[in-house]
Amino acid sequence: MTIVVTPLSGSEKLCFREVFTSAWASGLLSEYIRTYVFVKFSLPHGHREIKLVMESEFLDKVEDNAAIRTWSEQCQIEKGDSLVKGYVSELRGFTNISVTQNELQELKEIWAQWDNETKQLFYGTYGDLPYLLDVKIDKHLFRAMAQFWNAAYSCFSFGKVDLVPTVEEYTTLLRCPRIQVDKAYSKAVNGPTFMKKLTNITGMSEQWVLARMQKKGESKCIPWTCLRDLILAHPDAKKKIDVLPCVYGMIIFPKALRHIDEAVIDLFSRLDKGVTPVPAILAETFRSLNACRRMGEGRFIGCAQLLLAWFHSHFWKVEKGSYRFMTDNYSPLEEIAATPRGEDVSEENWIALFQNLQEGDIGWKVPWLTTDQILYRCGSFDWVPLLGIWGATAYAPLLVLRQYNSRQFVPTTYGLAQGEFSYEGGSYKKRVKEISSAWNQIHRMKKLSVGPMTTSEYREWRTRRINDNIPERKPEGAQSKEEYLRVVPSELEIVKRDFEKMSAELERKIERLEEEKMLLKLDVDGQKAETEKLRKEKEKVEEDRDDLKKEYKKMRLTIRNAGLGTTPEQWRRKIQEEKAKASSWEEKFQEMQTQNEILRKDMAESHKEKKGLKAKVAELGRSLHHYQRRDSEDELKLSLSRIKEMKGKIEGLETTLHGCELRIELLEAREGQWKEELHHSHQQVRDRDYLMGEAIVQIRKVADHLQALASQAEIVSMKYELQADRNQELTSLLRKIKTLSLRAKAYL
């Protein structure tokens, strides 16, 4: 038997030779070439025919990749690089960048209060944005990364390594199902007002929005606290979910801290139309890094959490055996946020590590990026323009093809350094319109990885490329990545940690002292109020006393000037008679008080008997419980007899209590009779005083003020107080006795 191999055509041979050589060198031959065996038996000779056929899809990739590679290299030759010879860098040597972000604890608490159903509804509407709340910001790492930002090429340049967040990577990280990846945001020139947008989003009235609008710099905004209160108290659950993504201004674009900018609201109001926020996020990230690098300092106005999540995905390689990212419910942000990372590596160690970074230290393609196509240009632009919410910039995806697991060739970069502008004046509107039109004509290429990951032309171009103030490598101090990331605290760091610990303790003490100060202040305010109340009462009493003195003086003067026709001896006898009557009434009141004392003693004895009865009932209860455990019938009968005796005593006590109540009623009846007699006596005294003349009337008033109003009012008030206390005690005693009776009946 012989084997016949059908030969390929001329063009297939050339294509196959190039691909076969590259694939064989990379060890990926089996991934791209499929072998199909067609066996055909020939009757006279018995030959077998085997034909090797290239997969048509792979050939399409080769042709597409080759055409774009030719175009890119030709453009780079004809137009030139982003920077040309003779360029003088305008960047500072070191950038002191601040990563001050909003405090997100309130957002975390709101998110934690929602149930799982509401959270799933939010994920399905707005994507994995909440996972950014759990991504910690390593300030040392971020500041070190900022030193390697290359503004001329819109990428991070670590030695021979170029990395940049791409549209596809950020889209996968945010994982928002509603967005359309080709529908980029564009700043509206003539759109709804800020008030109208907030009214539509929040569902509140224009008066509510107008009362809360503020102005920060040249932009309008609304405080985060207003939206927070609205989320917590809004009656419509759907509106709560719609309002929360306004926190794009808290996480993604934290320009005005604890405020949501008008530009952020404009972007968010377009999300329900399928607009993708990714180009705008990338644009403001790149623009903020560029501004900080040019000024040598500044605050990063962008989503530091998202940028660090992207960097962690490339810097720490994922195990090859992990294929969890292939499932539909897999969230890269969730996994990144849950992965513990050390935050004690110093900024100097990070910078030294990046200066000596090698290509093998980078995980070029993140495992969760499954796209097969690369957005590499828009319209007539040779790269991808990005429209932000405050300005525009651009980046070149062809510069980082290895992040797509595609072979890296020379990218076209002409004009990248000049592609940035802000939305100021009126000239930007024409450029915004041009970029918006370009996004309607996007161009994608198919990724292809065969042979070496970089072409020889790219390596040559990379060595000749003019970098814009990129920190140079220091090979004399080169170490492994593990050695750089090893945390070896210096004496200064130890002192710094101790100082931070002492500062934290002092802050806690200050907080406690503030709380104590607040409590003392409240006590002082209460004491001041009480003192003011007493002062007013004292002033009122003094005013009453002064009025009484004045009235008394007037009475004395009237008596002196009246020319009384009665001798002093007669006045003395009449006064003695009145005093005798008052003494008799005092004796009656004393008798009543004595009876009250006797009744009080009876009540005390009843209370003692009640306590003894309560103790006996408790003892009987314990005995009953003990007897029940021992199951002794005789002792149980004895206990029941004791309970019956106690029941009889309780009934006797109730009878005694009923007698006490009757005596109280009798005393109350007598008290009413005494009041009537006292009233009748007063009437007789007033009649006699009227007959005695004007002097007797004045004496009567003096006697009323000095004796009757002093003694009788106090006695009557004391009587009422004693009577009220007696009634309250009797009511409480009756209630307790009834309770004991019910318990005893329950035991029976």
Side-chain angles (χ1 to χ4, degrees):
M1 181 184 68
T2 60
I3 298 176
V4 179
V5 178
T6 303
L8 300 174
S9 64
S11 60
E12 289 177 341
K13 286 181 180 179
L14 292 175
C15 185
F16 181 73
R17 185 183 299 113
E18 180 182 353
V19 174
F20 182 83
T21 304
S22 301
W24 181 269
S26 62
L28 301 174
L29 183 63
S30 59
E31 182 178 353
Y32 298 103
I33 301 177
R34 294 181 182 177
T35 304
Y36 297 91
V37 181
F38 297 92
V39 181
K40 181 175 66 175
F41 292 95
S42 176
L43 293 177
H45 304 288
H47 296 291
R48 291 184 179 179
E49 182 179 8
I50 301 176
K51 183 177 182 181
L52 297 178
V53 182
M54 296 291 294
E55 186 181 3
S56 61
E57 183 180 355
F58 177 70
L59 290 174
D60 292 339
K61 288 184 178 180
V62 172
E63 294 174 359
D64 180 69
N65 191 270
I68 296 174
R69 172 183 170 182
T70 302
W71 166 83
S72 179
E73 293 177 349
Q74 188 67 26
C75 286
Q76 189 71 356
I77 294 173
E78 294 177 357
K79 296 181 179 180
D81 203 357
S82 181
L83 297 179
V84 296
K85 292 183 179 181
Y87 170 79
V88 178
S89 175
E90 299 178 355
L91 303 184
R92 307 295 178 89
F94 180 82
T95 301
N96 186 13
I97 189 169
S98 171
V99 204
T100 303
Q101 301 282 305
N102 281 297
E103 175 58 45
L104 304 177
Q105 184 59 36
E106 294 176 337
L107 274 175
K108 294 180 182 179
E109 293 174 358
I110 292 175
W111 180 254
Q113 293 175 7
W114 288 4
D115 55 25
N116 188 58
E117 183 179 354
T118 307
K119 290 180 179 179
Q120 293 301 325
L121 181 60
F122 183 92
Y123 289 138
T125 307
Y126 297 106
D128 290 350
L129 182 67
Y131 291 122
L132 291 175
L133 298 173
D134 299 323
V135 177
K136 296 182 179 180
I137 298 178
D138 187 345
K139 295 183 179 180
H140 300 302
L141 170 58
F142 193 90
R143 290 182 183 133
M145 287 174 56
Q147 312 308 316
F148 294 84
W149 175 252
N150 192 338
Y153 296 95
S154 295
C155 68
F156 292 100
S157 293
F158 307 108
K160 296 182 179 180
V161 175
D162 290 330
L163 284 175
V164 67
T166 65
V167 171
E168 291 81 4
E169 289 175 333
Y170 265 29
T171 302
T172 306
L173 283 174
L174 292 177
R175 212 167 63 112
C176 183
R178 293 178 60 179
I179 65 174
Q180 301 176 24
V181 294
D182 297 340
K183 194 173 182 180
Y185 164 79
S186 176
K187 183 177 178 64
V189 179
N190 297 318
T193 62
F194 182 41
M195 181 187 299
K196 186 65 175 179
K197 296 171 187 174
L198 277 177
T199 303
N200 294 335
I201 293 172
T202 61
M204 305 301 289
S205 63
E206 292 185 357
Q207 291 78 10
W208 184 91
V209 174
L210 184 62
R212 289 157 178 80
M213 283 174 50
Q214 297 180 4
K215 192 169 184 180
K216 293 286 184 179
E218 298 180 356
S219 301
K220 296 178 182 179
C221 60
I222 184 171
W224 149 244
T225 53
C226 298
L227 297 180
R228 176 200 63 193
D229 298 339
L230 186 62
I231 294 172
L232 292 174
H234 206 295
D236 189 351
K238 183 63 170 61
K239 276 296 179 184
K240 291 183 179 181
I241 296 177
D242 290 340
V243 173
L244 187 62
C246 287
V247 300
Y248 268 60
M250 294 283 288
I251 305 176
I252 307 295
F253 306 109
K255 183 177 182 180
L257 295 178
R258 295 190 65 79
H259 289 76
I260 312 301
D261 194 272
E262 178 182 7
V264 179
I265 298 295
D266 183 64
L267 170 64
F268 171 69
S269 64
R270 312 273 285 283
L271 293 182
D272 59 348
K273 299 178 176 62
V275 171
T276 172
V278 172
I281 296 173
L282 286 175
E284 297 305 332
T285 300
F286 298 165
R287 292 182 69 250
S288 183
L289 289 171
N290 290 342
C292 292
R293 290 287 281 145
R294 293 191 185 101
M295 297 296 296
E297 60 182 1
R299 184 170 72 88
F300 177 70
I301 304 174
C303 187
Q305 295 92 334
L306 191 57
L307 186 59
L308 287 175
W310 165 82
F311 177 78
H312 288 318
S313 298
H314 285 282
F315 196 72
W316 279 272
K317 298 181 181 179
V318 180
E319 296 295 332
K320 293 182 179 180
S322 176
Y323 294 99
R324 201 163 60 86
F325 56 87
M326 299 295 291
T327 59
D328 293 336
N329 58 352
Y330 172 72
S331 172
L333 270 182
E334 180 183 10
E335 184 176 31
I336 294 169
T339 303
R341 307 185 191 281
E343 299 180 1
D344 297 329
V345 181
S346 65
E347 186 174 332
E348 292 77 11
N349 277 6
W350 278 116
I351 291 177
L353 173 60
F354 292 150
Q355 287 174 337
N356 298 279
L357 197 64
Q358 302 297 320
E359 296 183 10
D361 297 330
I362 291 294
W364 289 100
K365 181 182 180 299
V366 290
W368 37 262
L369 184 63
T370 58
T371 180
D372 192 47
Q373 293 185 339
I374 306 168
L375 171 65
Y376 72 97
R377 60 179 299 205
C378 295
S380 60
F381 294 95
D382 296 335
W383 17 258
V384 177
L386 301 171
L387 288 172
I389 60 177
W390 294 295
T393 186
Y395 87 112
L398 294 180
L399 190 67
V400 289
L401 287 174
R402 282 177 286 183
Q403 290 180 213
Y404 299 95
N405 197 27
S406 187
R407 192 179 187 188
Q408 181 66 62
F409 50 77
V410 178
T412 174
T413 60
Y414 178 77
L416 268 179
Q418 295 77 33
E420 181 179 343
F421 62 91
S422 300
Y423 299 153
E424 297 176 356
S427 59
Y428 76 90
K429 297 179 181 179
K430 182 178 180 181
R431 302 181 67 179
V432 169
K433 185 177 180 180
E434 182 182 0
I435 294 176
S436 299
S437 301
W439 268 89
N440 295 326
Q441 302 173 5
I442 60 174
H443 301 273
R444 288 188 172 89
M445 62 177 290
K446 300 176 182 179
K447 67 177 184 179
L448 180 67
S449 58
V450 291
M453 291 303 294
T454 58
T455 64
S456 58
E457 292 82 2
Y458 170 80
R459 291 191 293 270
E460 182 180 355
W461 170 81
R462 189 65 170 73
T463 57
R464 297 196 316 265
R465 190 180 78 180
I466 301 174
N467 288 332
D468 194 4
N469 197 23
I470 303 302
E472 297 180 356
R473 181 185 175 192
K474 298 179 180 179
E476 64 277 3
Q479 300 178 12
S480 65
K481 182 169 72 173
E482 290 73 16
E483 291 175 336
Y484 281 118
L485 298 179
R486 186 182 304 151
V487 180
V488 182
S490 62
E491 184 177 355
L492 180 61
E493 290 175 346
I494 295 174
V495 173
K496 182 180 178 181
R497 292 177 185 176
D498 294 338
F499 175 75
E500 291 176 352
K501 184 178 180 181
M502 292 175 62
S503 299
E505 292 178 357
L506 289 175
E507 287 178 358
R508 288 194 293 270
K509 290 182 180 179
I510 290 172
E511 289 178 358
R512 289 198 297 269
L513 291 175
E514 289 289 341
E515 292 178 359
E516 294 176 0
K517 178 182 176 182
M518 183 62 67
L519 294 175
L520 290 174
K521 185 177 180 181
L522 294 175
D523 294 339
V524 170
D525 293 340
Q527 292 294 334
K528 286 182 178 178
E530 188 67 23
T531 304
E532 184 66 20
K533 182 179 179 181
L534 292 175
R535 186 183 64 79
K536 291 181 179 179
E537 291 179 355
K538 180 182 177 183
E539 290 178 354
K540 185 177 180 182
V541 171
E542 290 178 350
E543 290 177 358
D544 294 340
R545 184 192 63 187
D546 294 339
D547 293 340
L548 186 59
K549 285 182 178 180
K550 291 178 181 179
E551 188 177 356
Y552 178 70
K553 289 180 180 179
K554 289 180 181 179
M555 291 178 184
R556 293 290 301 271
L557 183 62
T558 304
I559 293 172
R560 190 179 298 114
N561 298 329
L564 303 174
T566 308
T567 63
E569 185 66 26
Q570 291 175 346
W571 281 116
R572 197 176 294 113
R573 285 197 302 269
K574 290 179 180 180
I575 291 172
Q576 288 178 356
E577 290 176 0
E578 294 296 332
K579 286 183 177 180
K581 291 180 181 179
S583 299
S584 64
W585 285 114
E586 287 181 1
E587 290 177 359
K588 290 182 180 180
F589 279 115
Q590 290 291 336
E591 291 177 0
M592 185 178 66
Q593 288 180 356
T594 304
Q595 292 178 359
N596 288 338
E597 289 293 333
I598 295 172
L599 183 59
R600 191 175 298 169
K601 290 180 181 179
D602 293 340
M603 290 172 61
E605 292 177 358
S606 299
H607 186 63
K608 291 180 181 179
E609 291 180 1
K610 181 193 70 174
K611 286 185 177 180
L613 182 61
K614 185 177 180 180
K616 289 182 180 180
V617 170
E619 183 181 358
L620 285 174
R622 290 192 295 269
S623 301
L624 180 61
H625 180 69
H626 178 67
Y627 295 151
Q628 286 176 349
R629 291 180 61 186
R630 296 178 56 185
D631 296 331
S632 176
E633 295 181 359
D634 296 336
E635 293 179 356
L636 183 60
K637 290 180 180 179
L638 181 60
S639 176
L640 292 175
S641 65
R642 288 182 181 178
I643 292 173
K644 289 180 180 180
E645 291 177 1
M646 294 306 301
K647 183 178 179 182
K649 290 183 179 181
I650 290 171
E651 293 176 352
L653 188 58
E654 289 179 349
T655 304
T656 304
L657 180 62
H658 183 66
C660 291
E661 292 177 350
L662 293 177
R663 291 174 63 185
I664 291 172
E665 293 177 356
L666 180 61
L667 287 174
E668 290 177 349
R670 290 180 180 178
E671 183 181 357
Q673 184 180 358
W674 290 337
K675 285 183 179 179
E676 292 178 358
E677 292 178 358
L678 180 61
H679 180 71
H680 182 67
S681 177
H682 286 171
Q683 184 65 33
Q684 291 178 352
V685 171
R686 282 194 298 271
D687 293 340
R688 283 194 297 270
D689 288 343
Y690 178 76
L691 297 175
M692 292 169 68
E694 184 178 355
I696 299 300
V697 173
Q698 299 298 332
I699 293 297
R700 176 71 181 123
K701 290 182 180 180
V702 173
D704 288 342
H705 281 289
L706 297 178
Q707 293 181 5
L709 292 178
S711 60
Q712 294 176 10
E714 291 180 359
I715 293 172
V716 172
S717 63
M718 186 183 298
K719 175 178 69 65
Y720 279 119
E721 291 178 359
L722 292 174
Q723 187 67 26
D725 294 339
R726 188 187 319 120
N727 291 339
Q728 185 176 2
E729 290 178 356
L730 288 175
T731 303
S732 176
L733 178 61
L734 181 61
R735 189 183 297 111
K736 291 180 180 179
I737 290 174
K738 289 181 179 179
T739 303
L740 291 173
S741 177
L742 291 174
R743 290 181 179 177
K745 290 178 181 179
Y747 282 122
L748 292 174

